């Protein structure tokens, strides 16, 4: 009798636990909404001359500020830790809001990334300082832009324009620090995978799953 109990604890119980959590992940895992229904972009100029929108895209959103070249390491960290692994998904984009007048600096960053990366999902858009401040304010975040209209943080916005993160007091997370690669490799990557899982599960439920997402 004791032998059977030991065998059950050592072999059967772990398998049952695994199957339980594996089948229930969709019910228990969801990244909370920090700010619902954030505004879409205005008719802002894109470095590529494209019309960039948040609608129907999972967006990693950043604010470069005027010191793009000085902080270019942040873009390289984000590119290495997140972008290169996932940029082939057609419903994903990386968007950086920049002040007007920084187009040449942004082009240098994109060209440098393009030397070893497909940069088709990187989008730099440009607008006035007033509109940058106004747009950031409506995100209703705890963090603030610096005096140069930038922040090292990037934000996850889902397909229906909800800004997502962690809401529990001890682990509140509204953005992810691109200056620290460990923040991207750990917390952001974990949360980003949750977002992808949400959409994959929804597509599978609707019998409409695709390889792109």
């Amino acid at each position: 009798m004791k032998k059977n109990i030991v065998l059950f604890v050592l072999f059967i119980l772990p398998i049952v636990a695994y199957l339980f959590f594996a089948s229930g992940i969709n019910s228990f895992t969801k990244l909370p909404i920090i700010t619902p229904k954030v505004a879409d972009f205005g008719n802002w100029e894109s470095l590529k001359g494209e019309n960039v929108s948040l609608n129907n895209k999972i967006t990693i959103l950043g604010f470069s500020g005027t010191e793009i070249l000085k902080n270019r390491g942040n873009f390289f960290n984000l590119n290495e830790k997140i972008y290169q692994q996932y940029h082939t998904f057609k419903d994903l984009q990386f968007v950086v809001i920049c002040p007007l007048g920084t187009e040449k600096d942004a082009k240098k960053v994109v060209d440098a990334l393009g030397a070893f990366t497909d940069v088709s999902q990187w989008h730099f858009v440009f607008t006035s300082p007033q509109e940058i401040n106004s747009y950031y304010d409506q995100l209703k975040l705890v963090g603030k832009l610096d005096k140069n209209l930038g922040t090292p943080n990037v934000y996850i916005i889902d397909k229906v324009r909800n800004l997502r993160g962690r809401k529990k007091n001890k682990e509140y997370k509204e953005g992810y620090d691109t200056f620290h690669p460990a923040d991207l490799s750990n917390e952001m990557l974990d949360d980003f995978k949750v977002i992808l899982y949400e959409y994959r599960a929804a597509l599978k439920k609707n019998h409409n799953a695709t390889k792109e997402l």
Side-chain angles (χ1 to χ4, degrees), residues 124-186:
F124 286 74
V125 297
F126 303 87
T127 188
S128 68
Q130 293 79 11
E131 287 191 315
I132 291 174
N133 279 318
S134 178
Y135 189 86
Y136 188 87
D137 287 345
Q138 62 87 35
L139 297 177
K140 299 178 181 178
L141 302 175
V142 175
K144 302 299 180 184
L145 294 177
D146 62 28
K147 63 181 181 180
N148 299 309
L149 302 173
T151 173
N153 287 345
V154 292
Y155 309 92
I156 298 175
I157 299 179
D158 66 23
K159 288 188 175 184
V160 291
R161 308 205 314 263
N162 295 319
L163 191 150
R164 310 287 285 274
R166 306 183 186 187
K167 295 193 76 170
K168 292 182 180 179
N169 290 334
K170 290 184 178 180
E171 60 173 21
Y172 178 79
K173 200 79 175 175
E174 61 186 18
Y176 307 86
D177 192 345
T178 58
F179 182 78
H180 298 288
D183 197 27
L184 301 178
S185 297
N186 298 317

Side-chain angles (χ1 to χ4, degrees), residues 1-10:
M1 183 66 177
K2 289 183 178 181
K3 182 178 180 180
N4 290 337
I5 294 174
V6 171
L7 289 174
F8 178 80
V9 171
L10 290 178

Side-chain angles (χ1 to χ4, degrees), residues 75-201:
F75 299 110
F76 284 84
N77 289 339
L78 182 61
N79 188 72
E80 179 183 355
K81 298 300 181 180
I82 308 293
Y83 181 90
Q84 288 185 340
Q85 297 182 58
Y86 296 100
H87 75 277
T88 55
F89 295 149
K90 69 174 185 179
D91 294 334
L92 175 66
Q93 62 183 357
F94 286 62
V95 180
V96 183
I97 299 177
C98 314
L100 288 169
T102 60
E103 289 87 347
K104 290 183 179 180
D105 289 345
K107 181 66 164 53
K108 291 179 181 178
V109 171
V110 172
D111 288 346
L113 293 172
F116 55 89
T117 301
D118 172 8
V119 294
S120 59
Q121 296 300 84
W122 276 104
H123 302 286
F124 286 74
V125 297
F126 303 87
T127 188
S128 68
Q130 293 79 11
E131 287 191 315
I132 291 174
N133 279 318
S134 178
Y135 189 86
Y136 188 87
D137 287 345
Q138 62 87 35
L139 297 177
K140 299 178 181 178
L141 302 175
V142 175
K144 302 299 180 184
L145 294 177
D146 62 28
K147 63 181 181 180
N148 299 309
L149 302 173
T151 173
N153 287 345
V154 292
Y155 309 92
I156 298 175
I157 299 179
D158 66 23
K159 288 188 175 184
V160 291
R161 308 205 314 263
N162 295 319
L163 191 150
R164 310 287 285 274
R166 306 183 186 187
K167 295 193 76 170
K168 292 182 180 179
N169 290 334
K170 290 184 178 180
E171 60 173 21
Y172 178 79
K173 200 79 175 175
E174 61 186 18
Y176 307 86
D177 192 345
T178 58
F179 182 78
H180 298 288
D183 197 27
L184 301 178
S185 297
N186 298 317
E187 293 177 318
M188 183 175 182
L189 189 57
D190 287 347
D191 291 353
F192 183 68
K193 286 180 178 178
V194 171
I195 290 290
L196 292 184
Y197 183 87
E198 286 183 34
Y199 284 102
R200 283 171 172 155

